[in-house]
Amino acid sequence: MDAIQVFLETIISRQDLIVERTIEHLYLSFVAILVAVAISLPLGIYISRKRKVAEFYIGVTAVLQTIPSLALFGFLVPVLGIGATTALVALIIYALLPILRNTYTGITGVDEGIIEAGEGMGMTKRQILWKIQLPLSLPFMMAGVRTATVLTVGVATLATFVGAGGLGDVIWRGLQSWNNSLVLAGAIPVALMALVFDFILKTVEKKVTPKGINS
Amino acid sequence: MLISFNNVTKTFEDGTVAVDDVSFTVKKGKLITLIGPSGCGKTTTMKMINKLIPISSGTITIDGNDISTENDVELRRNIGYVIQRIGLLPHMTIEENVSLVPKLKGWKKKDYEKKVDDLLDMVGLDPNVYKKRYPLELSGGQQQRIGVIRALAGEPPIILMDEPFSALDPISREQLQDELKLLQKNIHKTIVFVTHDMDEALKIADEIVVMKDGRVEQIATPTKLVQHPINDFVRSFVGDDRVKKASGSRGELLADTIMQPIQAEVELNNLPEISSKSNLHEVANIMLSKQAEAIIITAEDGKPTGIIEKNQLLKELAGIQKEVQ
Ligand SMILES: Nc1ncnc2c1ncn2[C@@H]1O[C@H](COP(=O)(O)OP(=O)(O)OP(=O)(O)O)[C@@H](O)[C@H]1O
Ligand SMILES: [Mg+2]
């Protein structure tokens, strides 16, 4: 029988499951990214002004990042139990580093001469942050958010192992029953989701890049 | 606005003494240039005026007020600053860059818009063409001009300029130097101007501060500097050619530039007198005709302010330095 036909039949017969898991997956990724942004943007701005502690924070997130994702989920279960919370915490931890690091390098990378000009003209620290440093580092921050998002959408497939559902569940069922079509029915939406997010965020990134700095 | 440095020293955290016990004053409406080899502390000296660099010891006063007691932000809004690296904000249009300080100072839109147009016109950039452009859409020289007019936009009484014309071709540079001179004459800005170009310094300065290794070597007017470099360093920095050329016209030097203080024991009665604004030719004339060994120099009010002795006059006219007696 034609493999494509089998695949299509699988999708149709498992429609409800796939839609439900896709929504779960979206939810997990979305919330994780939102929280990660809410933590690491302000933290990145903060550490960019206290360069002495910056290395420490970035180091900590970098170490967290090196823990294999499956292991991280595993570590969290004894502490937080099974469920969406555990999955979210793990995803958030993963998403922190790219955003934090990009925010930090974005802000500290703003040419000293420009900052000095701002100070010399009598701008306050706050004005320098809002009118110079943030606009000029926004593209970097967005790039960080983009990396984090693609990463999160991928890693969220592991959420199923802590009972938080998501498309990983579909893939896992497929694997267990030697059903390749089902594996694909879970994997393809994940890939599509990553691509779509990437595209949207790339567009946003272009939008927020101040005119005048990419000519 | 009178700026005064009193024994100012700057030692950086790493122990570098960038500015070492420097004292000088810039009188209101005057243009003073700081000149010296790279790394001698010109930029550091300048940045202490608007507190971008904190002073280690000594004081800087503006109109008698110690700047350490002033609010940084307020102080800076009244001191125009042209930074060595230009430092235009790349994400803002030329118009936005230039109107930044006026906006910070709360000017009305109408007022700062007009100011932007006037200033662009002044430096030969058509407002209609350049106003809406971004800095990267301008050539290096054009950016530097914007850097200069941005410092003028808020109408500060004091302007600090750190090698503001270094990226310009000779013609535009001359043009902007003239423009600056005119500006300073007409609206009496007090300007501190850093350069390492002696021609530029001699051309625009009312007074030149020559620095070396964080110390002031000599402070003098351009004429006096070429005629009387105080030591070998200054002499070579000014350029032997210029010094030699100037010594050919030593007779044009004014009497008060070489006069010595009057010692109490000197018998003044038999000596001829001459105004401090006479040049050395005239001084020599009088001394010869009166067969005098010395001459009294009088101030505008007729009071004696100094004395020139015959030997000293001879040395001056012959261009012999004091050290090599
Ligand atoms: N932040 C700093 N920390 C340590 N040393 C510094 C610092 N800034 C400047 N210096 C040192 O202080 C000295 C004076 O520097 P400054 O920038 O004032 O020189 P300059 O006369 O402006 O030179 P140039 O003509 O090259 O611009 C130099 O030796 C420099 O290396
Ligand atoms: Mg310098």
Side-chain angles (χ1 to χ4, degrees):
Chain A
M1 233 181 30
D2 193 359
I4 293 180
Q5 203 178 342
V6 176
F7 176 58
L8 289 178
E9 273 167 15
T10 312
I11 292 183
I12 290 162
S13 65
R14 299 301 194 95
Q15 197 174 27
D16 290 347
L17 175 77
I18 296 172
V19 168
E20 193 186 324
R21 294 298 178 255
T22 304
I23 290 169
E24 273 172 5
H25 203 100
L26 270 173
Y27 166 80
L28 285 172
S29 310
F30 214 76
V31 173
I33 286 295
L34 277 184
V35 177
V37 167
I39 294 172
S40 46
L41 276 190
L43 186 63
I45 293 169
Y46 170 78
I47 65 174
S48 69
R49 317 183 101 188
K50 314 235 176 251
R51 305 206 177 176
K52 282 183 191 127
V53 298
E55 286 310 316
F56 170 76
Y57 281 99
I58 291 181
V60 168
T61 51
V63 166
L64 290 176
Q65 186 93 24
T66 62
I67 303 172
S69 28
L70 198 52
L72 184 59
F73 280 93
F75 288 151
L76 288 174
V77 172
V79 187
L80 295 170
I82 285 222
T85 316
T86 312
L88 280 175
V89 170
L91 292 176
I92 290 164
I93 288 175
Y94 258 94
L96 285 178
L97 178 70
I99 307 176
L100 185 69
R101 188 187 309 206
N102 275 39
T103 304
Y104 177 74
T105 38
I107 292 180
T108 53
V110 174
D111 181 2
E112 298 256 347
I114 295 170
I115 307 287
E116 195 191 307
E119 276 180 53
M121 283 188 286
M123 294 174 88
T124 59
K125 277 231 151 40
R126 185 177 288 252
Q127 285 167 333
I128 289 175
L129 178 67
W130 284 98
K131 293 193 171 154
I132 301 182
Q133 290 173 310
L134 288 184
L136 287 178
S137 53
L138 211 51
F140 286 88
M141 296 178 192
M142 280 314 300
V145 172
R146 188 152 69 95
T147 313
T149 304
V150 174
L151 195 78
T152 304
V153 169
V155 175
T157 48
L158 299 177
T160 179
F161 297 116
V162 292
L167 284 162
D169 185 39
V170 180
I171 299 172
W172 185 237
R173 286 181 196 213
L175 287 171
Q176 276 180 323
S177 56
W178 296 92
N179 183 345
N180 277 343
S181 292
L182 196 55
V183 174
L184 284 179
I188 290 174
V190 174
L192 283 179
M193 213 182 273
L195 285 174
V196 169
F197 276 141
D198 192 48
F199 175 77
I200 293 172
L201 288 171
K202 206 177 200 166
T203 316
V204 176
E205 199 180 310
K206 282 223 179 82
K207 267 254 154 58
V208 300
T209 303
K211 270 190 229 150
I213 70 168
N214 50 358
S215 57
Chain B
M1 291 280 165
L2 184 134
I3 309 170
S4 168
F5 276 65
N6 314 297
N7 306 100
V8 175
T9 294
K10 174 65 197 181
T11 313
F12 283 106
E13 294 77 31
D14 64 359
T16 313
V17 183
V19 174
D20 191 3
D21 196 21
V22 161
S23 300
F24 63 87
T25 48
V26 191
K27 295 193 193 76
K28 180 176 158 39
K30 294 293 176 194
L31 194 159
I32 193 168
T33 60
L34 304 178
I35 193 165
S38 188
C40 69
K42 306 181 292 293
T43 298
T44 309
T45 304
M46 173 171 276
K47 284 197 205 165
M48 288 192 287
I49 301 174
N50 61 3
K51 293 170 82 176
L52 284 177
I53 294 181
I55 306 175
S56 305
S57 72
T59 52
I60 298 175
T61 60
I62 295 179
D63 279 349
N65 302 319
D66 187 339
I67 59 165
S68 64
T69 62
E70 313 243 333
N71 174 280
D72 295 9
V73 167
E74 282 306 313
L75 181 81
R76 289 173 189 154
R77 287 183 188 172
N78 290 306
I79 301 181
Y81 178 41
V82 185
I83 99 165
Q84 194 166 2
R85 286 183 284 172
I86 308 179
L88 298 181
L89 309 185
H91 58 302
M92 295 188 189
T93 60
I94 298 309
E95 184 177 31
E96 289 167 331
N97 265 283
V98 177
S99 57
L100 239 160
V101 176
K103 276 187 201 156
L104 289 174
K105 284 177 135 181
W107 287 23
K108 290 204 190 72
K109 189 163 193 257
K110 196 174 85 228
D111 295 337
Y112 65 70
E113 281 182 345
K114 179 166 186 322
K115 190 80 197 172
V116 171
D117 287 358
D118 290 349
L119 287 169
L120 280 169
D121 276 331
M122 188 190 92
V123 292
L125 297 171
D126 182 353
N128 296 322
V129 177
Y130 292 99
K131 220 158 55 174
K132 301 290 178 201
R133 288 212 190 163
Y134 288 92
L136 286 180
E137 297 165 349
L138 264 57
S139 75
Q142 289 170 336
Q143 289 180 28
Q144 207 163 41
R145 290 166 199 228
I146 302 301
V148 172
I149 61 172
R150 182 177 62 177
L152 301 174
E155 300 188 339
I158 296 175
I159 303 166
L160 311 178
M161 310 178 99
D162 200 347
E163 307 198 15
F165 305 148
S166 58
L168 297 176
D169 60 282
I171 295 175
S172 333
R173 184 181 309 164
E174 293 262 324
Q175 206 181 330
L176 275 189
Q177 287 167 348
D178 294 338
E179 206 59 70
L180 183 70
K181 219 34 215 170
L182 208 67
L183 192 80
Q184 182 228 353
K185 280 221 179 76
N186 293 343
I187 40 182
H188 304 290
K189 301 280 182 201
T190 304
I191 302 176
V192 179
F193 189 108
V194 166
T195 181
H196 54 236
D197 175 357
M198 190 46 90
D199 284 314
E200 182 165 76
L202 292 173
K203 175 172 175 185
I204 62 171
D206 292 309
E207 210 155 51
I208 299 177
V209 177
V210 184
M211 293 181 71
K212 181 193 171 203
D213 300 335
R215 298 189 136 264
V216 170
E217 293 286 319
Q218 184 169 9
I219 304 177
T221 62
T223 335
K224 212 166 155 188
L225 192 71
V226 286
Q227 286 172 338
H228 275 271
I230 204 164
N231 56 30
D232 286 347
F233 169 76
V234 178
R235 189 187 170 89
S236 73
F237 202 75
V238 170
D240 277 331
D241 285 355
R242 283 203 200 82
V243 176
K244 287 214 182 82
K245 218 161 152 195
S247 62
S249 60
R250 274 167 188 279
E252 311 293 327
L253 210 61
L254 295 186
D256 59 359
T257 57
I258 69 158
M259 68 187 185
Q260 302 293 313
I262 302 174
Q263 309 292 334
E265 66 267 23
V266 177
E267 183 57 61
L268 298 181
N269 291 339
N270 304 323
L271 297 177
E273 289 185 357
I274 193 164
S275 142
S276 61
K277 293 300 164 212
S278 322
N279 65 32
L280 295 190
H281 279 312
E282 293 159 334
V283 172
N285 259 331
I286 304 276
M287 286 178 84
L288 281 173
S289 65
K290 299 266 158 95
Q291 287 298 311
E293 286 301 310
I295 191 166
I296 304 294
I297 310 302
T298 56
E300 274 157 39
D301 57 7
K303 292 215 177 80
T305 59
I307 188 166
I308 298 176
E309 289 175 355
K310 195 169 165 187
N311 286 347
Q312 189 200 350
L313 181 65
L314 281 176
K315 277 182 198 143
E316 288 300 340
L317 289 174
I320 301 168
Q321 299 219 354
K322 279 193 204 73
E323 292 92 333
V324 288
Q325 278 170 2

